[in-house]
Amino acid sequence: MEACWCGALGGKSDVLSTTSEVVVPSSAGERSQVPLSEMESGMFSAGPLACASFPAIALRLRSCDPGLLKSSLATALARHRVLAGRIKKTFVELSDEGVPFTVVESSKSSAPKQIREPDLLQLADFRRAPRVSSGSQPPCTVLLTRYRDGSGVLTFCRSHVLMDGTSAWAFIGDWARAARGEPLVAGRAVDIVGEAPDRAEVDAMWMEEFGEPMADWGVTLKKAALKGVLHTVAPVADLLFLSGTTGDLERPRAFFSDDDLAAIKVAATPSGDGSWVSTQEALSAYLVLTAGKTLLKADSRGRVTVAYILDPRKALGRSSNETFGAGLVIMRMAFDGLLQMSLQDVAGKIHDAAQSEMSLKKVGRRWRLSEGCFKHGVEFCLLSKTMPRKWENDVTLVLNNQSKRELPDFGEAASGGRAEAVVTNAGPTIVLPAKGGVDVLLDPTTLLRAARSARDRARVVDALRANMPRPTRAAEQGGA
């Protein structure tokens, strides 16, 4: 099977050898079909790679044993059979055809201590979304790059049609447990799709959610036009992405230690004890306030929109470790006057909106509304309501928080213990787990929209560090 892209860090001159095999589930299952939800079959199935339709997660390992990693992958695939099957537009064929696993031996001395997003072009085996969705390419791939000192980078790519970020981390967690010789946790490993709401129910939910009827005029025409554009543009966009010429391949990165996060939370809370706002709300407030005060002019309106990409599993009564391709709900909030606000003011705005907009009931209803909109072909109406319009805002933060995921531990024999670093090209602004804290990859098209150059972006990253609240004066700031 021909790969879309596969390489090793540094280019062909650093590749000593390349071997590839297909890993199949350790135990065969009955051949069957699993239907995709309306959103799963409708989202990411034709998008360019740059839109994270086939995103990668790359892990730095202190050491790596390809044999153990392959055998444990086979065990994990026996539980997550959808990954070893093939997507056929609206369903997944549980065919156990397997996952391509490529091992590249590099002449480089050691794996990079911090994996950068541009490195993924050589460290990942990308496959184009339309070919994956038609069944001619596998829904996931694995590429292991090994270095002379025994270290490695393990990169797992998957179709977003089958696996969102939560699903991907859950699968990697199962893979790591299998590598350590532990039994896999119980849970539903195959997405079971419920009946999408009918049009009357969609209209009723829309009215309850937005307080006005759905204006769906022109939606069919827009949808047809977009499909035509995607089919035309996606191959070109993929070529540009894979050749590294699409521009912003690397988002500005800011590291926040556990102490930094604690200090920001205390400083963002009026009581000063950090018990009112969540860490996510406090960090969001700090990001938008710092970006705004660094980049915006004094007479700016200071229009801010904050949107969270949420996991609806709990709201839908689904297990946290089941495979789910479109397990995301976007909830947003907006306000003006950023430059006149304190950190506590911004955090309070975000907290109050989150309390009213992010209840389990609302998250579950929003997901069902999304499913119904995709079923009835009016998803563009919902996207126009939920996705922030960047041109209307001075600062926009769309946050995908994956920091609660632990760096996986494949065991001492397979990987030398816990992974030491991680990066992904999913987004937009994403929070990732890191040793002793989190890494925040800032989306330059939203949060840093006012930045006209790499220098402006560097100014924001510098300001995030320079203006960091300190534990010694966080309580004073909170009580002021």
Side-chain angles (χ1 to χ4, degrees):
M1 186 175 292
E2 182 183 355
C4 178
W5 185 268
C6 178
L9 185 63
K12 292 183 178 180
S13 61
D14 299 308
V15 176
L16 299 176
S17 66
T18 301
T19 58
S20 186
E21 66 178 272
V22 175
V23 176
V24 299
S26 58
S27 57
E30 180 181 353
R31 193 181 185 100
S32 58
Q33 295 177 354
V34 176
L36 295 168
S37 72
E38 298 291 340
M39 281 194 289
E40 287 171 332
S41 58
M43 293 178 71
F44 303 106
S45 59
L49 290 168
C51 294
S53 58
F54 200 79
I57 295 178
L59 302 161
R60 188 192 194 279
L61 308 179
R62 185 158 53 87
S63 64
C64 48
D65 184 320
L68 284 175
L69 290 172
K70 290 176 185 178
S71 62
S72 54
L73 174 61
T75 301
L77 288 175
R79 183 180 179 282
H80 298 268
R81 289 185 62 213
V82 289
L83 293 181
R86 295 296 181 265
I87 301 173
K88 301 297 176 71
K89 298 294 184 182
T90 60
F91 63 88
V92 183
E93 185 82 32
L94 299 184
S95 56
D96 293 337
E97 293 178 61
V99 172
F101 193 120
T102 301
V103 179
V104 173
E105 300 287 349
S106 173
S107 62
K108 292 278 189 178
S109 60
S110 183
K113 296 295 183 184
Q114 184 183 76
I115 310 168
R116 300 169 55 241
E117 288 183 270
D119 297 340
L120 294 174
L121 296 177
Q122 288 76 46
L123 294 171
D125 182 0
F126 291 108
R127 307 294 173 105
R128 291 196 59 237
R131 299 186 68 186
V132 172
S133 297
S134 67
S136 63
Q137 293 283 332
C140 71
T141 63
V142 177
L143 194 152
L144 174 65
T145 305
R146 296 207 303 172
Y147 299 82
R148 286 189 298 155
D149 65 354
S151 62
V153 174
L154 181 68
T155 305
F156 170 71
C157 290
R158 88 284 179 182
S159 168
H160 210 311
V161 172
L162 285 187
M163 278 193 158
D164 59 11
T166 298
S167 296
W169 281 99
F171 173 74
I172 291 173
D174 276 350
W175 184 3
R177 277 185 283 274
R180 299 195 303 268
E182 300 174 7
L184 301 188
V185 297
R188 195 166 63 212
V190 174
D191 183 16
I192 300 175
V193 181
E195 185 67 27
D198 60 27
R199 181 58 195 261
E201 187 179 356
V202 168
D203 289 338
M205 285 192 293
W206 184 280
M207 180 64 75
E208 185 178 1
E209 187 80 11
F210 302 114
E212 62 184 21
M214 183 190 302
D216 59 356
W217 55 271
V219 166
T220 302
L221 181 61
K222 292 178 184 177
K223 185 174 180 179
L226 181 60
K227 282 189 174 182
V229 170
L230 279 177
H231 284 295
T232 304
V233 171
V236 178
D238 288 344
L239 179 63
L240 293 174
F241 171 78
L242 294 172
S243 60
T245 58
T246 54
D248 293 308
L249 282 177
E250 185 169 24
R251 289 166 285 186
R253 182 190 300 233
F255 172 77
F256 295 88
S257 70
D258 292 333
D259 288 341
D260 293 335
L261 295 173
I264 292 171
K265 184 178 179 182
V266 171
T269 306
S271 63
D273 62 6
S275 60
W276 185 55
V277 301
S278 68
T279 301
Q280 174 173 277
E281 291 162 355
L283 179 60
S284 300
Y286 184 65
L287 291 174
V288 298
L289 185 62
T290 303
K293 291 196 171 182
T294 303
L295 297 174
L296 299 182
K297 296 180 179 180
D299 59 351
S300 168
R301 177 185 178 188
R303 178 69 173 177
V304 174
T305 292
V306 175
Y308 290 139
I309 299 177
L310 304 176
D311 177 11
R313 286 167 176 77
K314 186 175 181 180
L316 297 174
R318 296 169 179 258
S319 60
S320 61
N321 61 334
E322 75 173 277
T323 301
F324 199 9
L328 52 89
V329 169
I330 299 173
M331 307 294 278
R332 73 175 183 178
M333 56 209 78
F335 53 89
D336 294 328
L338 177 67
L339 297 184
Q340 288 73 49
M341 292 183 178
S342 67
L343 179 61
Q344 292 178 4
D345 294 334
V346 179
K349 288 278 190 183
I350 294 174
H351 175 79
D352 291 344
Q355 290 294 105
S356 64
E357 295 298 322
M358 291 166 53
S359 66
L360 288 179
K361 180 180 179 181
K362 282 204 170 186
V363 170
R365 185 178 64 201
R366 177 64 63 83
W367 189 90
R368 281 188 50 77
L369 176 60
S370 300
E371 181 76 349
C373 286
F374 270 89
K375 176 181 179 180
H376 300 290
V378 290
E379 64 269 26
F380 285 96
C381 295
L382 184 63
L383 292 174
S384 67
K385 277 286 187 182
T386 57
M387 288 300 292
R389 299 180 180 93
K390 292 181 285 187
W391 59 89
E392 295 179 355
N393 300 291
D394 295 307
V395 177
T396 304
L397 173 64
V398 184
L399 190 71
N400 183 352
N401 187 0
Q402 298 188 10
S403 63
K404 294 181 180 179
R405 315 294 171 190
E406 286 191 354
L407 291 170
D409 182 356
F410 292 86
E412 197 65 33
S415 65
R418 193 170 299 281
E420 297 180 325
V422 63
V423 76
T424 178
N425 62 322
T429 288
I430 191 165
V431 186
L432 294 172
K435 277 189 173 181
V438 300
D439 272 328
V440 181
L441 277 60
L442 305 169
D443 180 8
T445 68
T446 55
L447 182 63
L448 307 183
R449 187 173 65 90
R452 293 184 174 85
S453 65
R455 182 178 179 181
D456 283 346
R457 295 172 188 176
R459 285 173 55 211
V460 174
V461 175
D462 290 342
L464 288 171
R465 177 54 48 193
N467 299 326
M468 183 74 63
R470 298 303 172 197
T472 55
R473 54 190 175 91
E476 296 175 5
Q477 290 181 357

